[in-house]
Amino acid sequence: AAAPRVFSFRDARWVPDPVLEPSAAVRTPQPVPLVIDNGSFQTRAGWASADPAVPAEPLLRFRSLAARSRGARGGAGAETQVGNDLGSPEPLRWLLRSPFDRNVPVQLELQELLLDHVFQRLGVASQGCVDHPVVLTEAVCNPLYSRQMMSELLFECYQVPKVSYGVDSLYSFYHNRRQNWPCSGLVISSGYQCTHILPVLEGRLDAKNCKRINLGGCQAAVYLQRLLQLKYPGHFAAITLSRMEEILHEHSYIAEDYIEELQKWRSPEYYENNVHKMQLPFSNKLLGSTLTSEEKQERRQQQLRRLQELNARRREEKLQLDQERLDRLLYVQELLEDGQMDQFHKALVELNMDSAEELQSYINKLSLSVEQTKQKILQAEVNIEVDVVDSKPETPDLDPLGSEQSLEDVESINEFEPLFAEEQPEAEKPVAAVQPVFNLAEYHQLFLGTERIRAPEIVFQPSLIGEDQAGIAETMQYVLERYPKEQQAILVQNVFLTGGNAMYPGLKARVQKELLEMRPFQSSFQVHLASSPVLDAWYGARDWAVEYMTREEGWITRKDYEEKGGEYLKEHCASNVYVPIRLPKQAPRTTEALAPSRTLTSSAGNPCEQV
């Protein structure tokens, strides 16, 4: 087998979305629908039109995240960025906010920011409103309150003419339909936050038997991060969630038989042939120096010259401060000579001095200090000139005036002595003899062995991360057992896999194995994988919008919103089932129940007794 390759993290930065100029076909002869796949991981938006001039693919794809930058105190200067405008999520990890709780939008202020970003970047040019119909995806069995707030946002804030809601996985199922496919099937949708098992009978969702598993790609990334941080505590900060998502997308797979696959990884040969090494970024400065003795000497002289310049700068700053204070003291002494005694005594009090003799003593000390500093600066300039002319390898003296060398200069030189001691030229040893103690590049590598299958396995075995839930296989069997055997046979003839986690290699084979174990002997079943598990939801919504553009089926108009409320839903082949809110009716108050109260009120004369 070939030697294992070393992979580098791409750490790709997000490119900000440009403001697109829509073609005239999206406005004429009538505004075409705007399709938005409102996912908890990524938002995708584009136009739905049969015109070839309009692209049949999502024009915007960005993470469903927003972050408010930290501006000045009081909130001034704060700026909110959305999606790809963030550049990279890691520096803003603790500032990122999502409108979703699991896969249900609950923060409508953040949802409004995402919609603003979509309408602005797609170039919606209508003034004060969005005059395009909107097709929006929502969660399975979406709560009525969430749909009510979303309808209120679209109709009241954006003034859209009509809107249609549908389930993303059903749109994907609708897009992948074929001539020989039945209208019934079992949809397994595994996304970023949740995994759903959706039975579809005769083209409609059976909402009563839908089941949800609260596990998805987000929990797998967190689990993988914990595994690698425990395995490599020295690289704790470098093991970020973004890099874990990259590992999941490109290096992980689902084992057909988890226990058997673990047994394979116990073999050293299998491990060496299948391990993936992820290279973390590192610096080569610690690998050892390959400089010649002349280069080391030149480098040492440069460091000494920088030290001289630093000392000269400190002397100039000290000279400036001493000169300013000396000028102030001389001004106070002039007040004494001019006979202005009141101002002189006030100045002494400000200087915290008691007498004119103390003032004179400070003046003498400062004058002497100023003169000595000037001489040091002059001598240092002469030394720098001598160092430039002199090319001898001997170490130049920092200050020939040994008696006048300041204590801080000696301390600064002592700080650099360990550095210089390491770089002493050694003529006896060749440069090639300098070898690193260990391979630093290999030290900064993450070896991915069983971690490649452990993280994706949580959707089949939630107990790996301590979750008391059933996996995909148990949930699928539970849903099938709620139907008679005839309907079970119909459902398993079209088991459809979609969602981001369907991109894992081996998922289809794993589901086939689980079905083979749970189905009766010699019974048949078929498992289909979406052509594009991530984008098929948007493509299906576009197909539906193009087909139903001129119909009334599935569209909620503004009149429907005003008459029936924001939670109202018009059903179609890819929508949820509408369950209206039924409030208990209050029983009317009868005249017999009111009669005693009237009698009591008329007969009692004392107000306190009435109460």
Side-chain angles (χ1 to χ4, degrees), residues 434-449:
V434 180
Q435 296 291 337
V437 178
F438 61 94
N439 190 344
L440 193 63
E442 186 174 345
Y443 173 74
H444 286 83
Q445 288 177 0
L446 306 180
F447 286 63
L448 301 179

Side-chain angles (χ1 to χ4, degrees), residues 580-586:
I581 300 177
R582 292 185 175 87
L583 298 177
K585 295 182 179 180
Q586 296 182 356

Side-chain angles (χ1 to χ4, degrees), residues 138-384:
E138 64 178 7
V140 181
C141 301
N142 192 34
L144 296 181
Y145 177 76
S146 176
R147 186 184 303 128
Q148 176 185 357
M149 298 301 294
M150 188 67 72
S151 297
E152 181 179 344
L153 178 64
L154 291 173
F155 284 110
E156 301 292 347
C157 181
Y158 297 106
Q159 305 293 324
V160 298
K162 57 184 179 179
V163 65
S164 176
Y165 296 104
V167 180
D168 50 0
S169 53
L170 296 183
Y171 277 134
S172 179
F173 184 75
Y174 180 82
H175 176 70
N176 286 271
R177 69 190 190 282
R178 300 171 185 171
Q179 295 296 330
N180 57 347
W181 272 28
C183 296
S184 301
L186 191 66
V187 180
I188 302 177
S189 173
S190 184
Y192 186 62
Q193 292 283 359
C194 299
T195 299
H196 292 94
I197 311 294
L198 311 177
V200 178
L201 293 173
E202 299 300 329
R204 288 296 294 125
L205 174 69
D206 186 8
K208 293 184 179 180
N209 293 320
C210 292
K211 295 301 173 184
R212 182 185 67 190
I213 306 171
N214 290 322
L215 290 175
C218 177
Q219 290 77 17
V222 173
Y223 179 49
L224 180 60
Q225 184 186 34
R226 292 177 179 174
L227 286 177
L228 292 181
Q229 284 179 344
L230 288 173
K231 188 176 180 180
Y232 299 99
H235 305 308
F236 191 89
I239 301 174
T240 61
L241 280 176
S242 299
R243 290 172 176 167
M244 298 304 101
E245 291 174 356
E246 181 179 338
I247 291 176
L248 287 175
H249 295 165
E250 300 180 6
H251 303 278
S252 297
Y253 65 98
I254 291 181
E256 184 175 350
D257 189 320
Y258 183 67
I259 302 300
E260 182 180 346
E261 192 72 16
L262 288 180
Q263 293 295 330
K264 291 181 181 179
W265 280 99
R266 295 183 63 181
S267 170
E269 298 177 358
Y270 186 86
Y271 180 88
E272 290 295 331
N273 295 332
N274 293 276
V275 66
H276 282 198
K277 301 178 182 179
M278 304 301 300
Q279 183 66 61
L280 292 172
F282 66 99
S283 176
N284 286 318
K285 293 182 178 179
L286 300 178
L287 288 177
S289 175
T290 58
L291 301 177
T292 62
S293 58
E294 293 79 7
E295 291 174 344
K296 291 181 179 181
Q297 183 66 24
E298 178 63 25
R299 183 177 175 185
R300 180 167 173 268
Q301 291 179 359
Q302 290 178 359
Q303 291 173 343
L304 290 174
R305 281 194 292 269
R306 284 199 298 268
L307 179 59
Q308 288 178 348
E309 294 172 0
L310 177 63
N311 288 335
R313 194 179 308 116
R314 290 178 178 176
R315 291 192 189 101
E316 291 176 356
E317 294 174 357
K318 183 175 181 299
L319 175 63
Q320 184 179 359
L321 293 176
D322 290 346
Q323 188 66 47
E324 290 176 358
R325 190 172 184 187
L326 179 60
D327 293 341
R328 178 172 176 78
L329 295 179
L330 292 176
Y331 170 74
V332 175
Q333 190 178 35
E334 290 178 359
L335 294 178
L336 177 62
E337 295 174 356
D338 295 342
Q340 301 178 10
M341 302 304 296
D342 294 339
Q343 298 182 5
F344 172 73
H345 288 297
K346 289 181 180 180
L348 281 181
V349 172
E350 293 177 358
L351 295 173
N352 198 19
M353 295 184 184
D354 297 331
S355 61
E357 292 77 7
E358 187 176 359
L359 175 64
Q360 186 63 41
S361 174
Y362 272 102
I363 291 176
N364 295 335
K365 292 180 180 179
L366 278 178
S367 299
L368 180 60
S369 176
V370 167
E371 290 298 327
Q372 290 180 353
T373 306
K374 288 181 179 180
Q375 292 180 6
K376 289 184 179 182
I377 292 176
L378 181 61
Q379 188 62 41
E381 293 176 354
V382 174
N383 288 342
I384 292 177

Side-chain angles (χ1 to χ4, degrees), residues 472-514:
I472 289 180
E474 293 88 344
T475 307
M476 186 167 49
Q477 184 175 8
Y478 177 80
V479 171
L480 289 175
E481 289 176 351
R482 297 176 69 88
Y483 295 95
K485 293 183 178 180
E486 294 77 10
Q487 289 186 339
Q488 289 185 24
I490 295 175
L491 289 175
V492 297
Q493 290 303 316
N494 189 13
V495 179
F496 180 71
L497 306 178
T498 185
N501 289 340
M503 300 288 289
Y504 285 129
L507 178 63
K508 182 178 178 180
R510 177 64 175 272
V511 174
Q512 289 176 339
K513 172 182 173 295
E514 299 291 348

Side-chain angles (χ1 to χ4, degrees), residues 363-562:
I363 291 176
N364 295 335
K365 292 180 180 179
L366 278 178
S367 299
L368 180 60
S369 176
V370 167
E371 290 298 327
Q372 290 180 353
T373 306
K374 288 181 179 180
Q375 292 180 6
K376 289 184 179 182
I377 292 176
L378 181 61
Q379 188 62 41
E381 293 176 354
V382 174
N383 288 342
I384 292 177
E385 294 178 358
V386 171
D387 291 341
V388 172
V389 175
D390 190 6
S391 61
K392 295 186 294 183
E394 285 80 3
T395 304
D397 294 330
L398 289 180
D399 197 345
L401 301 178
S403 59
E404 296 179 358
Q405 189 174 12
S406 63
L407 179 60
E408 63 183 38
D409 297 343
V410 176
E411 293 175 352
S412 300
I413 296 174
N414 292 335
E415 292 176 0
F416 279 80
E417 283 181 357
L419 178 62
F420 299 152
E422 293 177 359
E423 297 181 356
Q424 291 291 340
E426 298 181 3
E428 297 80 10
K429 295 182 180 180
V431 178
V434 180
Q435 296 291 337
V437 178
F438 61 94
N439 190 344
L440 193 63
E442 186 174 345
Y443 173 74
H444 286 83
Q445 288 177 0
L446 306 180
F447 286 63
L448 301 179
T450 57
E451 293 82 9
R452 297 176 58 195
I453 61 174
R454 285 184 186 274
E457 183 66 20
I458 65 171
V459 294
F460 287 93
Q461 300 187 53
S463 59
L464 291 177
I465 58 174
E467 290 289 339
D468 189 14
Q469 300 184 49
I472 289 180
E474 293 88 344
T475 307
M476 186 167 49
Q477 184 175 8
Y478 177 80
V479 171
L480 289 175
E481 289 176 351
R482 297 176 69 88
Y483 295 95
K485 293 183 178 180
E486 294 77 10
Q487 289 186 339
Q488 289 185 24
I490 295 175
L491 289 175
V492 297
Q493 290 303 316
N494 189 13
V495 179
F496 180 71
L497 306 178
T498 185
N501 289 340
M503 300 288 289
Y504 285 129
L507 178 63
K508 182 178 178 180
R510 177 64 175 272
V511 174
Q512 289 176 339
K513 172 182 173 295
E514 299 291 348
L515 281 171
L516 184 63
E517 292 178 354
M518 72 177 65
R519 296 300 298 157
F521 179 64
Q522 290 186 345
S523 62
S524 62
F525 56 85
Q526 293 184 16
V527 179
H528 302 279
L529 182 65
S531 57
S532 177
V534 175
L535 296 179
D536 276 355
W538 187 91
Y539 290 135
R542 177 191 174 276
D543 296 342
W544 183 92
V546 171
E547 184 177 350
Y548 288 80
M549 187 183 305
T550 57
R551 306 184 192 178
E552 294 183 0
E553 180 184 352
W555 293 101
I556 305 170
T557 63
R558 184 171 185 84
K559 182 180 179 181
D560 295 330
Y561 165 74
E562 292 174 350

